[in-house]
Amino acid sequence: MPREYSQKAALVTGGARGIGLAIALLLAERGYRVAIADRDAAAGRKTAAEGGLAFIRCDVAREADVRACVRQVLRRYGRLDALVNNAGIADPASGPVEKLRLAEWNRRIGANLTGMFLMAKHAAPHLRRTRGAMVNIASTRALQSEPDTEAYAASKGGIVALTHALALSLGPEVRVNCVSPGWIDTGKAKLSRGDHLQHPVSRVGRPADVAQLVAFLLSNAAGFATGQNYVLDGGMTRKMIYV
């Protein structure tokens, strides 16, 4: 691939592993200077060293951390062209709604939704300056649910709405889009043949699938795309299922 973005800088939150790591590595391959932000300092430093990335420890739910993170990116690279908001609590289950503690609700909303707002707030002036782009990672659970996932579903639905609001507020200088992945294999569970075959494309998704779409949405080739939610789930949300 040509290193088409060698002067550009990107920040990927939750970049120490999984989808965030795949995005960060692909952007670096395309030529971006990439910083990853993550709460897990050990994993973040290890990932950064192995991938030739910069690492910034950051809890996206804390505004002081977010402000400092963006400042570090600016000090290191002098600019910010791309923000990928990927950090969050991945486990959707939080138990029966009657027993869901307010503290647990607030923890998930804070990490998954408020963190994206804070990153957008502090990155926006710098993205405007470079006429950059932002991609927020939501989930197909913004559109469909399993029982006992209220906090997670609400946070992901909020990301979709936040995306189109930001697109209108920050445009035309900054494009803002959202990707809603379905089932993505991040290596945490053993998958069966049936897990794959239930998908219309006959396989579970991979982090690289999400990374490719994110890289496209950040690129000049997606210059007419903003305010949209791109569902990436192998066709599962279009599949009619009766048991």
Side-chain angles (χ1 to χ4, degrees):
M1 292 291 296
R3 295 178 65 82
E4 54 193 308
Y5 301 111
S6 59
Q7 300 305 311
K8 293 189 175 184
L11 171 60
V12 180
T13 69
R17 59 177 62 83
I19 290 173
L21 173 57
I23 293 169
L25 292 176
L26 181 60
L27 294 181
E29 181 183 317
R30 297 283 175 92
Y32 285 89
R33 295 172 290 171
V34 181
I36 59 172
D38 206 286
R39 284 184 62 184
D40 189 334
R45 292 191 184 101
K46 182 174 184 291
T47 294
E50 292 173 352
L53 312 170
F55 170 69
I56 302 168
R57 189 187 181 284
C58 178
D59 180 348
V60 296
R62 295 173 54 86
E63 187 163 18
D65 279 17
V66 170
R67 184 186 295 111
C69 176
V70 173
R71 285 176 177 169
Q72 285 187 58
V73 173
L74 269 292
R75 281 199 297 269
R76 178 179 289 268
Y77 300 129
R79 59 187 293 154
L80 179 61
D81 301 86
L83 171 63
V84 181
N85 278 315
N86 169 73
I89 298 170
D91 181 10
S94 53
V97 66
E98 299 94 333
K99 297 181 179 180
L100 177 58
R101 294 181 298 110
L102 179 58
E104 180 62 20
W105 168 275
N106 286 337
R107 186 174 78 93
R108 289 171 184 269
I109 296 296
N112 292 6
L113 179 58
T114 304
M116 293 201 182
F117 153 69
L118 291 173
M119 272 290 170
K121 172 184 175 179
H122 289 280
H126 311 291
L127 292 172
R128 285 186 190 275
R129 195 169 297 121
T130 59
R131 299 189 72 88
M134 183 188 313
V135 176
N136 301 322
I137 306 299
S139 168
T140 52
R141 289 174 185 268
L143 309 172
Q144 57 184 154
S145 289
E146 292 179 304
D148 303 331
T149 60
E150 282 75 17
Y152 188 87
S155 71
K156 295 302 183 177
I159 292 167
V160 174
L162 177 64
T163 295
H164 59 68
L166 286 169
L168 272 293
S169 297
L170 300 183
E173 294 89 356
V174 183
R175 294 183 301 103
V176 186
N177 287 292
C178 180
V179 174
S180 286
W183 190 349
I184 304 297
D185 178 17
T186 57
K188 294 181 179 179
K190 185 177 180 179
L191 303 179
S192 70
R193 185 168 180 268
D195 292 333
H196 290 288
L197 292 181
Q198 68 177 304
H199 289 74
V201 296
S202 295
R203 68 171 175 86
V204 172
R206 307 176 185 117
D209 295 320
V210 183
Q212 290 286 347
L213 180 53
V214 169
F216 168 72
L217 291 172
L218 293 174
S219 76
N220 296 333
F224 196 54
T226 197
Q228 302 304 309
N229 176 37
Y230 294 87
V231 174
L232 188 68
D233 70 344
M236 287 298 289
T237 52
R238 296 304 188 190
K239 182 178 179 181
M240 188 177 291
I241 303 172
Y242 292 101
V243 177

